[in-house]
Amino acid sequence: MRWDNLADNPAKTTKDGDGALFAADAVTTRTFDTPEFRGITFHEVRARSIVNRVPGASRMPFEWTVNPYRGCSHACVYCFARKTHSYLDLDTGLGFDSQIVVKINAPELVRRELASSRWHGAHIAMGTNVDCYQRAEGRYRLMPGILTALHDHANPFSILTKGTLILRDLELLRQAAEVTEVGVSVSVGFIDPELWRTVEPGTPSPERRLDVVRTLSEHGIGCGVLMAPVIPFLGDRPDQLRATVRAIAAAGATSVTPLVLHLRPGAREWFMEWLGLHHPELVGRYERLYADGAYAPTWYQRRVTRHVHELATEYGIGPSHRKTPRALPRGGGPQPPLDGSAPSRLTLL
């Protein structure tokens, strides 16, 4: 995928036939001299589509996504989405953290695509690539329009976020939940403040994220926690897992779903560089643990999952489970697919 493929008007080709990376008629580049955006460059594009099908080979338990941003100022060193920046010929390290692509027409595209006769009301997952409530959302305000379109079409959706900005849209979420199935999950892999500051430097603290869970619950919006990532040798000790699950339970989470760190190409190189600087003694252990690919061995994943589920039961919460989607109002909203399949809720949430 090239930069020009994101634009309404594809970039002009160069003499050698390659698409221009930054077409003057497709991209507007901006910087803002404010503390929260200092050092960040925003590339505003008018996307050609926004509701995207997940590749068939993906392990994700959902089929459709909406991603209004590319790149993420949360700067999580382990983020699996880093590789996507290379598709635009952008750097997957610091560039991913500071070169943010903003699809400024995302709300109008969502509304248009949901209104299409080809759309059958399938579940849409948001925040599964980069966070739709990262800092840029505070300025561009794309999510209110997206949520309003989903509400108006009674289209089921879910949101995964590390951002506290989701509370700005609490009323929109509440209204949507009255007409369709809405799933919200907050990502909190650990509560260790030192680990947070080094691996997730651009995110709100774990405590503030758990406040989001608490606030949503108090307003009648059930919120699960994706306990991700559980970081081997840094956040997986029994006492660390217990403290995290206890805090998640105290926040009123409806579910907790553990997910062990995975290191895909693009993220792996960046994470291992970080590990070599901060924990050089662990480099060899990681090379052995992830010798067979992006995922930790099955036995390790099962051990962590079993322990977290046991703790969740002890503290009165259970693992995330699939729910039956809420029926759409009669006479309104999209109809189910003709093959009889129904949209399903994101199992990670």
Side-chain angles (χ1 to χ4, degrees), residues 107-147:
E108 62 191 78
L109 276 181
V110 170
R111 182 170 294 278
R112 186 181 75 193
E113 292 177 34
L114 294 188
S116 169
S117 61
R118 296 188 299 273
W119 182 251
H120 298 298
H123 176 101
I124 291 176
M126 293 177 284
T128 57
N129 189 40
V130 301
D131 204 316
C132 51
Y133 283 107
Q134 60 176 287
R135 275 177 282 168
E137 173 61 17
R139 185 172 189 94
Y140 287 96
R141 298 182 62 86
L142 301 179
M143 287 301 293
I146 292 172
L147 294 177

Side-chain angles (χ1 to χ4, degrees), residues 30-320:
R30 301 186 192 277
T31 58
F32 304 106
D33 190 22
T34 56
E36 69 270 31
F37 297 133
R38 192 160 293 137
I40 299 177
T41 300
F42 296 98
H43 305 289
E44 300 174 358
V45 303
R46 293 190 61 82
R48 300 172 68 182
S49 63
I50 196 71
V51 181
N52 298 311
R53 186 188 291 271
V54 177
S58 173
R59 294 190 179 195
M60 295 297 101
F62 44 81
E63 190 176 0
W64 298 93
T65 63
V66 165
N67 292 293
Y69 301 98
R70 278 177 174 261
C72 186
S73 58
H74 282 168
C76 301
V77 297
Y78 53 75
C79 183
F80 72 89
R82 289 183 176 276
K83 179 68 174 177
T84 62
H85 246 40
S86 68
Y87 305 155
L88 305 177
D89 291 344
L90 294 174
D91 176 58
T92 61
L94 288 176
F96 180 84
D97 304 337
S98 61
Q99 302 283 328
I100 311 299
V101 178
V102 184
K103 303 173 188 178
I104 58 174
N105 60 333
E108 62 191 78
L109 276 181
V110 170
R111 182 170 294 278
R112 186 181 75 193
E113 292 177 34
L114 294 188
S116 169
S117 61
R118 296 188 299 273
W119 182 251
H120 298 298
H123 176 101
I124 291 176
M126 293 177 284
T128 57
N129 189 40
V130 301
D131 204 316
C132 51
Y133 283 107
Q134 60 176 287
R135 275 177 282 168
E137 173 61 17
R139 185 172 189 94
Y140 287 96
R141 298 182 62 86
L142 301 179
M143 287 301 293
I146 292 172
L147 294 177
T148 300
L150 289 163
H151 165 272
D152 291 350
H153 287 272
N155 201 102
F157 66 90
S158 57
I159 298 173
L160 172 64
T161 185
K162 289 187 176 79
T164 57
L165 190 57
I166 190 174
L167 293 180
R168 179 201 64 192
D169 297 338
L170 192 152
E171 180 60 20
L172 291 174
L173 293 170
R174 190 194 64 76
Q175 292 173 9
E178 292 178 351
V179 299
T180 190
E181 182 74 14
V182 175
V184 179
S185 187
V186 173
S187 177
V188 183
F190 45 83
I191 60 172
D192 183 325
E194 183 176 351
L195 186 58
W196 159 62
R197 290 188 185 98
T198 56
V199 301
E200 300 172 342
T203 65
S205 70
E207 289 79 8
R208 290 184 62 202
R209 284 177 252 162
L210 290 175
D211 284 340
V212 170
V213 176
R214 187 174 292 106
T215 301
L216 290 173
S217 299
E218 289 171 352
H219 286 80
I221 300 174
C223 183
V225 169
L226 181 63
M227 191 170 161
V230 175
I231 303 180
F233 318 127
L234 292 172
D236 64 346
R237 294 196 317 268
D239 62 306
Q240 291 174 310
L241 296 178
R242 175 174 289 277
T244 302
V245 175
R246 182 170 58 238
I248 290 170
T254 58
S255 64
V256 57
T257 304
L259 190 66
V260 173
L261 174 73
H262 56 276
L263 297 173
R264 298 180 188 175
R268 185 184 187 112
E269 296 82 357
W270 191 244
F271 179 85
M272 292 302 290
E273 181 179 339
W274 172 88
L275 192 70
L277 289 173
H278 293 270
H279 301 281
E281 74 283 0
L282 294 179
V283 170
R285 297 182 72 181
Y286 265 82
E287 289 175 344
R288 291 189 292 273
L289 189 66
Y290 290 89
D292 292 333
Y295 294 87
T298 301
W299 64 265
Y300 177 85
Q301 296 185 56
R302 287 177 176 170
R303 188 182 72 183
V304 169
T305 299
R306 181 172 60 252
H307 192 179
V308 169
H309 286 176
E310 289 171 354
L311 290 168
T313 299
E314 179 181 340
Y315 287 109
I317 52 179
S320 181

